Amino acid sequence: MTDPLLLLQAAADTSRAYGEFPVIGARAFVWITAEVHLMFAAFVLGVPMFAVVTEAIGIFGGDERYDRLSKEFTRLLLVAYSATAIWGAMLVFGLSTLYPRFWAYLTTIFAPSMWLYAALFFVESFTLYLYYYGWDRWKKGRAKLGHWTLGILLNVWGTIVMFIANAWLTYMMSPPRDITPTTDPTTIKLWHAIANATWMPINVHRVIANVVFGGAIVGAYASYRFLAARTEEERAHYDWMGYVGNFIAMSALIVLPFAGYWLGREIYQYDQSMGITMMGGFMSWLWVIQAFLIAVLFLTGNYYLWIGMGRIPGAERFRPYTKYLLIVLVLGAIVWGTPHTMIADSKELAAMGGSHHPFLGALGVMSAKNTAVNLMILTTFLSFLLYRRANTRPVVPWARAGTIIQGAMFAVAAGVVLFYGIRGYFVEAIVRIGFSVYQVLAVLSCIVFVTVIDILMARGAQSLGAIRWGRMPPRSQYALFILAVTFTWLMGLMGFARSGIRQYWHVWQVMQDTSKYAATPALGYASKMISLCVLIFLSLVAFVFWLGGLAEKSTFVATAEGEKGARHVGH
Amino acid sequence: MWATNAKIVGIVLGTLALYTLIANKIPQVQSEVPQALTLGANVTPEQLVAAGEKVYTGIGGCTTCHGLGERAPNLLTDEKGQGTIGARCGKREPGKTCKQYLYESLDNPTAYVVSGYQPIMPVMTKQLSPAQVWSVIAFLESQGGTVDVTASDIPTTSPASPTSPTSPGGGGGAGGAAFAGGSTDPKAIIQAAGCLACHKLDGQGQVIAPDLTHVGSRRDAESIRRKILDPASSVTKGYEKLAGIMPKSFGTMMSAAQLEALVQYLAAHK
Ligand code: HEM
């Protein structure tokens, strides 16, 4: 008697395992809702970080403009929050109706965290309302500090919310090894599932990426306002805002590769065959595209800085150097992106899987790429330094010596990076893994020490004239747009990488995808989906910006202090 | 302002179009769900070829390398005046028919390395089931040659699971031929087992894993035997991070005589 019953049960299970969505299909629906939700989530996570930092600069640096800037962003957040929630609801609706069995599996394990997630989202929105609507109320003294604390809380909630969601998706990618297809999900301990191998690396990678993202979107917003500005003063304000956005985006971008490297290593350590799929298997071309996008980011960001020198009196002195910087950047980008070099050979080795050692592929590639990217990072940092120096002349007696020491530090750092990059080809993989650490350390310590020297050296420096904010050709503003679009696209691509490496598994080697969409599509199809998601997202963001403009004209208030404040920028 | 708006929209769309275009220009590899390919006893050559084409462009992952510039010889077009693969396969190795050569290319790719290329082709019999292997051979034969693969080529033993690359699929594949052709020549065994993909031995091979040239001075025969049969039994000092990489399948691939020959050979490397 039991057998037919079991059969019936099985049949019922199969029929309810997957739903179908009209026209575009179940997978496309979940793909789009998840990705757009994620982009908005990144937006509402990245922008508050931005807002809190700028508010703090306003409070502690005494520059009113930063405070207004901060408020202008918080206003955009209000609508963005609703958008995040709406897309999130659509995603849950999609998952629960189109992938009911998988959804049931996830909820069985993660239900408590899902409730916490919803609750925190609520608290977060509430904090946001207080933060925004209390802005003018709590403007002075202690109250202002309290207000700033609200902003910090907003970030704390947001980060926890993201960490929780990351637990779900990293569990899908790297479920703890003791969990097998036969493990009863009710017996899986929540924390055990949350603290899986890739959870922390993804948390860190995403937090940083979201800062970049926030900065990039802010930059795009500012450039739009700049182009639309009617008065000189307005233009100056938005020029400056675009600069700050770009500055934050680029600073965080510099750290991203390190975090990405860590994430990649964890994936390898968790499961080599997954690592092979990612770096050498059917996804190996994805990294060539990723390299291209990152090269675009670095080049565009630097290009913007170099144009920006045109508005700084005294920058002429540094102008000639930019072409050397450009050469390094382009060379770095080529090394990183070329598939038919020695780099590709080790990647090809990785494609062999089975009898070959996968670290060679991944880390061979990674360490060669690391050499390129480390040099690109150094170059970008140098661009910033020149920019910072542009309108000042140091007066401290040791200025000359200081500059020479700084130059030497750059030389040493670049030397270390190159040395280990080249040596990497002559040693065993196991030794090479360690090399990238030296490269990173050299670059990071160069950045730290050179910055310290620079700050000391700038004391009492003689000014060659204030930055002429607003004196920017429109092409610089279009560069900011390209940055924002590229970064958003990169996010979509990496999201595809993350879920694509699971291939035909909902939960890697635990729950198989048996739907008709189980095959993982090729990059061409994925790129169309990504472009569509980016388009949806950017259109909605444009709408949000437009709404923000309707509610209140810009926070820009013409004041005489704009000139005075300008000197702090970028310092 | 309209002009500016139009420009912005143009730049956004242009950037998106560029990225989409690039992503569509590169080789398109879709990751298929591995399927147990079941071909009946009366399967026609056409069915084999059709199934093989799917394997070739899909799960086999062949297009990751083949058809991509200098990485690997193009199989579907002419290669250095020798014709497409179906036309040139019979002329590669003297005494080997097209079918034998193609099987060898998939089962033991380093046995004959096409000149001008690096020996990076993976052992496909480890990753694909015999049915998949033979259908892809049929497909390759159809590219300029005659298809002579039949159902009798495909061993009736249950195929190795395509999802577990460590399964010793290489063994029984060639119509029942034993591992390394049954040879007890240690060099042939090492060649067939692919040890040199990771190890260096007498100046040959890769440097990922410990150099085996003097392994006999570090380990006795017993220890080497255990290491091959059960790689997890001991881990070489300094290579802890790579523990678990050495395949665990050698023990099931080789005959006892082959294993012994290999062990004695290595133990003599002092
Ligand atoms: C310059 C270097 C890098 C940049 C600019 C970068 C950028 C990004 C961005 C923007 C995201 C989306 C973050 C989000 O959705 O919140 C992302 C996610 C990701 N990155 Fe990176 N990344 C870099 C290096 C790497 C490396 C080296 C790896 C690993 C080999 C890697 C693996 C991933 C993965 C798997 C994700 C998916 C996480 C997800 O969104 O679900 N990244 N990266």
Side-chain angles (χ1 to χ4, degrees):
Chain A
M1 217 23 234
T2 44
D3 269 1
L5 264 182
L6 275 179
L7 273 179
L8 265 180
Q9 179 63 38
D13 279 356
T14 347
S15 65
R16 276 191 287 109
Y18 298 105
E20 184 53 318
F21 194 83
V23 188
I24 56 172
R27 176 174 66 189
F29 181 80
V30 169
W31 188 332
I32 293 171
T33 48
E35 189 57 55
V36 177
H37 171 65
L38 193 102
M39 285 168 179
F40 268 109
F43 181 85
V44 299
L45 207 77
V47 173
M49 288 182 199
F50 192 92
V52 161
V53 172
T54 40
E55 187 182 12
I57 299 177
I59 298 174
F60 302 111
D63 186 344
E64 273 275 312
R65 288 186 315 156
Y66 282 95
D67 194 64
R68 284 198 303 271
L69 178 64
S70 181
K71 188 179 175 196
E72 186 162 356
F73 281 111
T74 311
R75 194 177 64 219
L76 300 179
L77 279 178
L78 294 177
V79 191
Y81 254 89
S82 328
T84 314
I86 292 170
W87 284 90
M90 270 157 62
L91 172 60
V92 170
F93 164 75
L95 278 177
S96 56
T97 59
L98 305 177
Y99 292 84
R101 181 121 60 91
F102 167 58
W103 176 247
Y105 176 85
L106 273 193
T107 42
T108 313
I109 302 176
F110 287 106
S113 68
M114 287 172 172
W115 290 115
L116 182 65
Y117 181 88
L120 275 177
F121 195 81
F122 182 78
V123 173
E124 195 187 350
S125 331
F126 199 73
T127 312
L128 175 70
Y129 294 142
L130 277 180
Y131 186 56
Y132 180 69
Y133 292 107
W135 208 288
D136 297 323
R137 185 83 187 257
W138 302 305
K139 221 173 161 48
K140 296 258 141 40
R142 293 263 287 283
K144 182 67 183 166
L145 281 182
H147 181 258
W148 184 56
T149 314
L150 278 179
I152 293 182
L153 272 183
L154 191 58
N155 279 287
V156 172
W157 305 142
T159 308
I160 299 179
V161 163
M162 184 186 69
F163 279 23
I164 295 177
N166 287 354
W168 310 333
L169 60 91
T170 52
Y171 173 82
M172 292 163 65
M173 180 156 75
S174 55
R177 276 305 183 190
D178 55 317
I179 297 172
T180 64
T182 50
T183 310
D184 176 358
T186 54
T187 62
I188 300 172
K189 294 262 186 308
L190 180 62
W191 180 250
H192 186 54
I194 290 179
N196 63 73
T198 53
W199 185 50
M200 257 311 145
I202 286 240
N203 284 345
V204 171
H205 198 70
R206 276 195 164 174
V207 165
I208 302 172
N210 289 345
V211 178
V212 187
F213 187 60
I217 295 289
V218 163
Y221 172 74
S223 60
Y224 177 73
R225 285 305 191 91
F226 175 96
L227 293 171
R230 288 176 202 285
T231 66
E232 282 295 316
E233 282 164 311
E234 213 181 333
R235 199 164 294 133
H237 174 74
Y238 286 111
D239 179 17
W240 167 77
M241 181 193 286
Y243 169 78
V244 176
N246 182 54
F247 177 81
I248 293 190
M250 294 304 283
S251 316
L253 180 65
I254 284 179
V255 207
L256 252 192
F258 305 139
Y261 178 74
W262 178 35
L263 174 57
R265 213 191 52 177
E266 288 299 321
I267 291 177
Y268 257 91
Q269 268 171 6
Y270 171 75
D271 188 326
Q272 277 145 20
S273 73
M274 185 184 254
I276 293 170
T277 309
M278 179 172 80
M279 302 308 303
F282 97 103
M283 280 204 168
S284 53
W285 277 93
L286 187 146
W287 301 97
V288 177
I289 306 232
Q290 187 225 27
F292 176 75
L293 294 174
I294 291 170
V296 170
L297 289 180
F298 272 110
L299 281 170
T300 319
N302 278 284
Y303 175 74
Y304 175 81
L305 279 181
W306 299 335
I307 301 186
M309 288 188 169
R311 65 187 170 208
I312 309 180
E316 318 76 64
R317 294 173 295 163
F318 301 123
R319 248 347 218 314
Y321 298 117
T322 53
K323 58 176 172 294
Y324 302 112
L325 300 182
L326 181 65
I327 291 172
V328 177
L329 283 178
V330 169
L331 285 182
I334 289 173
V335 169
W336 198 352
T338 310
H340 282 277
T341 58
M342 47 197 177
I343 307 166
D345 283 346
S346 38
K347 194 193 294 172
E348 286 163 355
L349 281 175
M352 308 167 68
S355 63
H356 276 66
H357 166 35
F359 272 122
L360 180 70
L363 300 182
V365 173
M366 288 333 270
S367 100
K369 284 189 171 184
N370 265 4
T371 306
V373 86
N374 274 313
L375 291 180
M376 288 166 81
I377 289 172
L378 274 180
T379 312
T380 308
F381 177 58
L382 188 59
S383 277
F384 264 116
L385 216 60
L386 295 183
Y387 188 94
R388 216 179 102 83
R389 277 268 180 101
N391 64 339
T392 60
R393 180 167 289 140
V395 292
V396 288
W398 47 274
R400 225 190 122 66
T403 310
I404 291 174
I405 294 176
Q406 284 180 320
M409 283 178 170
F410 267 103
V412 169
V416 169
V417 169
L418 274 178
F419 174 77
Y420 284 112
I422 294 168
R423 263 200 58 91
Y425 285 101
F426 298 101
V427 297
E428 298 186 26
I430 187 94
V431 184
R432 181 168 31 203
I433 295 169
F435 281 3
S436 63
V437 177
Y438 304 139
Q439 294 181 318
V440 169
L441 282 181
V443 170
L444 283 186
S445 33
C446 169
I447 291 180
V448 170
F449 288 120
V450 168
T451 308
V452 169
I453 297 182
D454 218 58
I455 290 171
L456 294 178
M457 205 150 61
R459 284 210 178 141
Q462 173 199 354
S463 169
L464 302 178
I467 298 180
R468 295 181 294 253
W469 292 111
R471 298 273 184 85
M472 278 291 257
R475 67 198 146 96
S476 63
Q477 305 301 313
Y478 294 122
L480 289 182
F481 273 106
I482 294 180
L483 268 182
V485 175
T486 306
F487 201 79
T488 317
W489 212 88
L490 179 59
M491 261 176 71
L493 181 73
M494 302 312 284
F496 169 64
R498 194 236 322 126
S499 61
I501 44 175
R502 280 183 283 119
Q503 296 179 288
Y504 53 95
W505 298 93
H506 287 315
V507 179
W508 178 250
Q509 291 181 352
V510 171
M511 188 178 199
Q512 193 168 337
D513 185 344
T514 52
S515 73
K516 66 177 186 194
Y517 299 112
T520 312
L523 258 177
Y525 175 80
S527 70
K528 289 176 199 156
M529 293 296 285
I530 296 166
S531 289
L532 181 66
C533 291
V534 172
L535 206 60
I536 295 176
F537 173 72
L538 289 181
S539 314
L540 288 173
V541 165
F543 180 65
V544 169
F545 285 173
W546 180 74
L547 280 183
L550 273 191
E552 189 182 326
K553 278 299 159 204
S554 91
T555 47
F556 168 74
V557 191
T559 53
E561 72 182 313
E563 277 286 293
K564 183 183 114 234
R567 269 198 37 76
H568 296 283
V569 173
H571 288 215
Chain B
M1 196 55 216
W2 281 114
T4 314
N5 281 337
K7 250 191 204 158
I8 294 173
V9 172
I11 284 183
V12 170
L13 291 181
T15 315
L16 291 181
L18 175 71
Y19 297 157
T20 315
L21 191 73
I22 296 177
N24 278 284
K25 279 284 165 224
I26 58 163
Q28 298 297 311
V29 193
Q30 170 155 332
S31 157
E32 299 290 346
V33 185
Q35 263 160 3
L37 184 63
T38 39
L39 301 170
N42 45 8
V43 59
T44 65
E46 288 73 33
Q47 284 169 327
L48 274 170
V49 170
E53 180 165 14
K54 273 207 190 122
V55 174
Y56 183 80
T57 52
I59 172 101
C62 317
T63 48
T64 332
C65 299
H66 289 287
L68 266 185
E70 288 99 62
R71 195 183 270 215
N74 197 324
L75 301 176
L76 310 185
T77 62
D78 176 68
E79 159 80 7
K80 296 179 186 142
Q82 293 150 324
T84 53
I85 185 67
R88 69 182 184 249
C89 52
K91 301 177 224 146
R92 281 287 192 215
E93 283 182 276
K96 278 217 165 78
T97 64
C98 174
K99 191 157 82 171
Q100 285 166 330
Y101 172 73
L102 289 179
Y103 185 80
E104 184 191 72
S105 300
L106 298 172
D107 185 45
N108 186 7
T110 46
Y112 177 90
V113 177
V114 180
S115 77
Y117 296 96
Q118 291 180 349
I120 59 166
M121 162 114 179
V123 177
M124 283 301 168
T125 44
K126 272 194 184 174
Q127 307 182 9
L128 303 175
S129 71
Q132 287 168 327
V133 166
W134 283 107
S135 59
V136 88
I137 292 176
F139 167 68
L140 293 179
E141 283 182 338
S142 77
Q143 301 299 308
T146 38
V147 181
D148 59 355
V149 178
T150 61
S152 61
D153 284 311
I154 304 167
T156 43
T157 48
S158 74
S161 154
T163 48
S164 68
T166 47
S167 62
F179 181 73
S183 162
T184 49
D185 172 9
K187 291 207 183 97
I189 297 169
I190 287 173
Q191 171 79 269
C195 312
L196 301 187
C198 301
H199 292 283
K200 218 183 190 75
L201 180 64
D202 298 332
Q204 281 190 339
Q206 302 285 334
V207 287
I208 301 148
D211 189 333
L212 295 181
T213 310
H214 303 293
V215 65
S217 60
R218 296 189 295 268
R219 289 174 181 261
D220 58 10
E222 171 54 29
S223 161
I224 295 177
R225 190 180 302 115
R226 197 148 17 92
K227 180 73 195 165
I228 296 173
L229 290 175
D230 175 16
S233 59
S234 64
V235 173
T236 309
K237 244 183 117 208
Y239 288 85
E240 288 79 5
K241 283 202 181 157
L242 303 185
I245 287 183
M246 178 152 153
K248 299 172 184 58
S249 52
F250 295 129
T252 47
M253 280 158 79
M254 297 175 204
S255 69
Q258 289 177 321
L259 177 67
E260 248 351 83
L262 175 62
V263 168
Q264 296 309 331
Y265 179 73
L266 287 179
H269 271 79
K270 297 220 196 272

